[in-house]
Amino acid sequence: MTEDIPQAPSPAREQADRFLRAREVQSVALLEDYVEMIGDLMAEMGEARVADIAERMGVAQPTATKAVARLKREGLAISRPYRGVFLTEAGGTLAEKVRARHRTVVALLVAVGVPEETAELDAEGIEHHVSDSTLRAFERYLSQR
Amino acid sequence: MTEDIPQAPSPAREQADRFLRAREVQSVALLEDYVEMIGDLMAEMGEARVADIAERMGVAQPTATKAVARLKREGLAISRPYRGVFLTEAGGTLAEKVRARHRTVVALLVAVGVPEETAELDAEGIEHHVSDSTLRAFERYLSQR
DNA sequence: CACGAATTATAGCCTAAGCTATATCTTGAC
DNA sequence: GTCAAGATATAGCTTAGGCTATAATTCGTG
């Protein structure tokens, strides 16, 4: 047998794990975006209609329909055919979390000198990769200054 | 005709554009990761072999082969069957840019209080969404403190 | 209350990125 | 120089997320 007990993984393995994590994050990123969007629409108009979701996400209507189907599968939304889409409790909770994280990321970017517009643009992609640990660090940084 | 000359786009449109941009970024993110990785391997071992690329990326070997094919299509790498993979000049330039951006992102995260390990983990996903403008802001922030 | 317009769903297609299984090529050891 | 082991390529499948075209449903208006 080899020298060592379960211990330091190889550098290659560590690096691979980072990429695996990034890919995992990516797979939930779209879900998060849709959930947040549906939350917005529910707040603004009482319900989210597929056409509005599609318009705001910048996708074709059938793409939005398919995304909603996935949200339903994951227990984040409910809907009946030809009717509006609504978030479940889990969906609502996620939407709130995503919204808060988005605000924090934008605020941090602005705090370190990124122009508002750019911050808003970049945050859309960045936010999904901000872990809870990093998010807390951002909050600490923003509060003590 | 309507009231206004080509001007302020609708909020929905603006939001859609942000998502479109995030999706675009995503489509080049993997290319960037592979190019950086191949650069690392070339520096360490003189060439990048498909098996090593696969191991470090945490994917199966055929997935790496396919990725290399895409890199070749995009003019970022060259290779001959059953031989190592090498970066083109364009690939090398991109690798250097990606590596520098990665370092800056990690440094900024650490500077605002994110633990090293977490910074390294999150940076892997975040970096691809950091625009040139944001990167410059990060550099300014890091230099004046 | 019926019908046309608007909305939503469905069908079918494409590409990217992952996988396993298997075929092909290279190379080092004998 | 052969051949077995190792590395790479290929075939074929899956899922996700796009798209267009078209079918089905709902709803406001006359």
Side-chain angles (χ1 to χ4, degrees):
Chain A
M1 47 213 255
T2 55
E3 294 255 326
D4 39 34
I5 328 298
Q7 215 166 344
S10 75
R13 177 55 194 271
E14 273 179 50
Q15 193 169 19
D17 284 345
R18 287 206 297 279
F19 287 120
L20 287 169
R21 178 169 177 283
R23 287 202 293 273
E24 253 177 59
V25 163
Q26 199 48 44
S27 85
V28 300
L30 253 204
L31 283 189
E32 291 182 346
D33 284 337
Y34 275 101
V35 162
E36 185 182 6
M37 169 84 31
I38 292 170
D40 289 348
L41 288 168
M42 282 175 63
E44 280 175 43
M45 337 230 231
E47 69 171 354
R49 294 180 325 148
V50 169
D52 295 332
I53 298 172
E55 185 194 3
R56 295 217 192 171
M57 291 296 295
V59 299
Q61 168 259 311
T63 301
T65 299
K66 220 188 255 186
V68 169
R70 193 172 158 216
L71 293 182
K72 289 169 75 171
R73 249 189 293 146
E74 311 262 347
L76 297 170
I78 51 173
S79 75
R80 292 191 351 261
Y82 296 99
R83 285 286 138 78
V85 179
F86 301 87
L87 293 181
T88 61
E89 196 178 320
T93 305
L94 179 57
E96 192 38 55
K97 185 187 153 193
V98 170
R99 194 187 329 278
R101 192 184 55 191
H102 181 90
R103 277 194 304 263
T104 300
V105 170
V106 171
L108 182 110
L109 289 176
V110 169
V112 302
V114 177
E116 276 271 353
E117 291 238 339
T118 306
E120 199 59 58
L121 255 149
D122 287 11
E124 202 62 69
I126 290 175
E127 54 179 9
H128 302 290
H129 297 272
V130 170
S131 64
D132 288 351
S133 160
T134 294
L135 191 61
R136 283 194 300 274
F138 283 6
E139 282 157 359
R140 278 195 302 276
Y141 177 84
L142 288 167
S143 68
Q144 47 176 248
R145 54 196 300 280
Chain B
M1 48 212 239
T2 55
E3 292 258 324
D4 37 34
I5 326 300
Q7 213 165 347
S10 76
R13 177 55 193 270
E14 273 178 49
Q15 194 170 18
D17 285 344
R18 287 205 297 277
F19 287 119
L20 287 169
R21 178 170 176 284
R23 288 202 293 273
E24 253 176 57
V25 163
Q26 199 47 44
S27 84
V28 299
L30 254 205
L31 283 188
E32 291 182 345
D33 284 337
Y34 275 102
V35 162
E36 186 182 6
M37 169 84 30
I38 292 171
D40 289 348
L41 288 168
M42 282 176 63
E44 280 175 43
M45 337 232 230
E47 68 171 354
R49 293 180 325 148
V50 168
D52 295 332
I53 297 171
E55 185 193 4
R56 297 218 191 171
M57 290 297 294
V59 299
Q61 168 259 312
T63 302
T65 300
K66 220 188 255 188
V68 169
R70 191 171 161 216
L71 292 182
K72 289 168 75 172
R73 249 188 293 144
E74 311 261 350
L76 297 170
I78 51 175
S79 76
R80 290 188 356 258
Y82 296 99
R83 286 286 137 79
V85 179
F86 301 87
L87 293 181
T88 61
E89 196 178 321
T93 304
L94 179 57
E96 193 37 57
K97 184 186 153 192
V98 169
R99 193 184 333 275
R101 192 184 55 191
H102 181 89
R103 277 195 304 263
T104 300
V105 169
V106 171
L108 183 111
L109 290 176
V110 170
V112 301
V114 177
E116 277 270 353
E117 291 237 339
T118 306
E120 199 59 57
L121 231 92
D122 287 12
E124 203 61 71
I126 290 175
E127 54 181 7
H128 302 290
H129 297 273
V130 170
S131 63
D132 289 349
S133 161
T134 294
L135 191 61
R136 282 194 300 274
F138 284 6
E139 283 158 359
R140 277 196 302 276
Y141 177 85
L142 288 168
S143 67
Q144 48 176 245
R145 53 194 301 278

